[in-house]
Amino acid sequence: MSLERFRSPWWQPGGHVQTIWSALCARSHLRGQQARPWRRERWETGDADFIDVDFSSHAVAADAPTLALFHGLEGSSASHYARAMAEVCAQRGWQLAVPHFRGCSGEPNRLLRAYHSGDAAEVDWILRRLQSQADGELLAMGVSLGGNALARWAGLQQQAAMKVVKAAAVVCAPLDLVAGGAQLGRGLSRWIYTPMFMRTLLPKALGKWQQSPGLFDRARLQRARTLREFDDVFTAPVHGFADADDYWRRASAKPLLRQVAVPLLLLNARNDPFVPVSSLPTQAEVSASVQLWQPEHGGHVGFSTGAWPGHVHAMPRAVAAWLAQWLSVQSLQNQEVKNG
């Protein structure tokens, strides 16, 4: 199964509709079933903070593969792609783990820092802890912001990544943050999506200011209307970058893609309203370990299909099938026995 030639239904014209419909209207669980609950673990971090990790609640074998799914900007285990992937993992007998970036699990984290697109160190810590407590093999997937962070981790780790995960998949990530940030700052993308993100980003950042008055320019933050302005006044200085340009340049995964050694899938729809098509990597810009899927349709983490109102299982199924090919023979045999 591949999404290289994916086409959206005729009644979903264009990237904006395919993005919004998939997030708000398409089904993320199987017909006749309810959304599955999650089992939450709180992990204390080495810097006296915490993250919350949600695990799928379906029964799995002790040595079942675990898929770690890193969510997008202001996403969570409640995001439509996470709920759909939980269904797909249940069908395959895999465990799904959704680590929440700091402050994204419904409770503010303790420290002044939050999270950002290039946080490969956080991804590394999470993956290695998952690996240490799992009996089965580990796979990884990142969506949008989480995808860029995961791809950056793979590029920085090079050969060492293969000792942690068997394979990784990155979906709709803005691998060139300069281009992606500019895209979200203009046209329909600015008026449709940016306000949605700012509705939660601004209160969270103001909460950090309450913890530490003077941490950044509060008045300037309150005037911010674009992600560039937000990153310039909050994300960049709080996380050690000079400004938004410095942050976007240094946190982008695209310059590191030639260094990737672990099997890595990069899936980007060419009509993604978050990611300009001109910024998508070419085969010459990635290593031999990287496979590119760049279908014409799909929007931003959309890919809904099927009869009205559609469902969003096509992408999770295709990504899981691609990841499954990298599991060991023994793991696949155990999975086949479980599935009958």
Side-chain angles (χ1 to χ4, degrees), residues 147-160:
N148 181 79
L150 178 61
R152 188 166 181 271
W153 171 82
L156 290 171
Q157 290 290 316
Q158 300 182 43
Q159 293 287 337

Side-chain angles (χ1 to χ4, degrees), residues 149-194:
L150 178 61
R152 188 166 181 271
W153 171 82
L156 290 171
Q157 290 290 316
Q158 300 182 43
Q159 293 287 337
M162 301 173 70
K163 298 180 181 179
V164 182
V165 300
K166 301 295 290 186
V170 166
V171 177
C172 296
L175 300 163
D176 179 344
L177 292 172
V178 175
Q183 179 82 352
L184 283 172
R186 61 175 176 251
L188 281 176
S189 293
R190 173 174 179 173
W191 302 113
I192 296 174
Y193 309 109
T194 299

Side-chain angles (χ1 to χ4, degrees), residues 295-318:
E296 295 295 328
H297 291 212
H300 187 73
V301 203
F303 305 105
S304 63
T305 189
W308 182 280
H311 62 79
V312 290
H313 284 180
M315 182 273 286
R317 286 171 177 163

Side-chain angles (χ1 to χ4, degrees), residues 20-302:
I20 296 167
W21 187 270
S22 297
L24 300 181
C25 305
R27 291 181 292 111
S28 59
H29 54 273
L30 299 176
R31 192 179 295 276
Q33 293 189 1
Q34 298 298 315
R36 296 175 184 271
W38 298 93
R39 175 180 59 83
R40 175 161 292 187
E41 292 185 7
R42 175 157 293 185
W43 292 358
E44 296 291 324
T45 63
D47 56 359
D49 205 351
F50 71 90
I51 66 165
D52 289 325
V53 184
D54 283 355
F55 292 86
S56 51
S57 59
H58 57 267
V60 296
D63 59 349
T66 295
L67 172 61
L69 191 163
F70 294 92
H71 62 77
L73 180 63
E74 293 299 273
S76 70
S77 60
S79 298
H80 64 285
Y81 50 82
R83 298 194 306 266
M85 184 54 86
E87 297 288 348
V88 171
C89 284
Q91 293 171 341
R92 284 187 169 271
W94 293 0
Q95 176 71 266
L96 177 64
V98 182
H100 290 87
F101 289 116
R102 302 192 196 200
C104 289
S105 63
E107 182 178 337
N109 63 305
R110 301 179 191 128
L111 299 184
L112 298 178
R113 64 155 292 175
Y115 67 103
H116 63 85
S117 297
D119 205 348
E122 189 91 319
V123 169
D124 186 65
W125 181 77
I126 291 168
L127 288 176
R128 291 181 187 276
R129 173 150 179 177
L130 281 170
Q131 182 192 38
S132 71
Q133 66 184 49
D135 293 325
E137 294 176 321
L138 183 62
L139 302 163
M141 174 182 175
V143 175
S144 197
L145 174 148
N148 181 79
L150 178 61
R152 188 166 181 271
W153 171 82
L156 290 171
Q157 290 290 316
Q158 300 182 43
Q159 293 287 337
M162 301 173 70
K163 298 180 181 179
V164 182
V165 300
K166 301 295 290 186
V170 166
V171 177
C172 296
L175 300 163
D176 179 344
L177 292 172
V178 175
Q183 179 82 352
L184 283 172
R186 61 175 176 251
L188 281 176
S189 293
R190 173 174 179 173
W191 302 113
I192 296 174
Y193 309 109
T194 299
M196 174 189 68
F197 290 129
M198 298 295 273
R199 277 196 296 271
T200 55
L201 287 170
L202 285 173
K204 287 182 179 180
L206 289 171
K208 299 297 183 185
W209 193 91
Q210 294 294 335
Q211 285 180 260
S212 181
L215 178 66
F216 51 83
D217 188 332
R218 184 172 182 266
R220 188 174 161 219
L221 178 76
Q222 291 176 310
R223 294 194 301 270
R225 295 295 180 269
T226 67
L227 289 176
R228 181 190 185 86
E229 293 168 350
F230 178 85
D231 285 344
D232 206 46
V233 70
F234 176 77
T235 311
V238 169
H239 297 97
F241 301 97
D243 53 25
D245 288 333
D246 181 51
Y247 161 44
W248 289 353
R249 184 175 60 255
R250 291 169 53 194
S252 293
K254 190 175 181 180
L256 300 172
L257 296 177
R258 287 194 182 95
Q259 301 174 192
V260 172
V262 70
L264 176 66
L265 172 67
L266 299 180
L267 168 59
N268 291 94
R270 297 178 70 84
N271 67 348
D272 187 335
F274 289 32
V275 182
V277 68
S278 61
S279 72
L280 297 182
T282 65
Q283 201 62 56
E285 294 175 305
V286 302
S287 75
S289 298
V290 178
Q291 184 166 357
L292 302 178
W293 286 358
Q294 296 178 355
E296 295 295 328
H297 291 212
H300 187 73
V301 203

Side-chain angles (χ1 to χ4, degrees), residues 63 137 327-337:
D63 59 349
E137 294 176 321
L327 294 173
S328 68
V329 173
Q330 184 61 50
S331 178
L332 288 172
Q333 288 175 343
N334 293 342
Q335 180 180 317
E336 289 171 359
V337 170

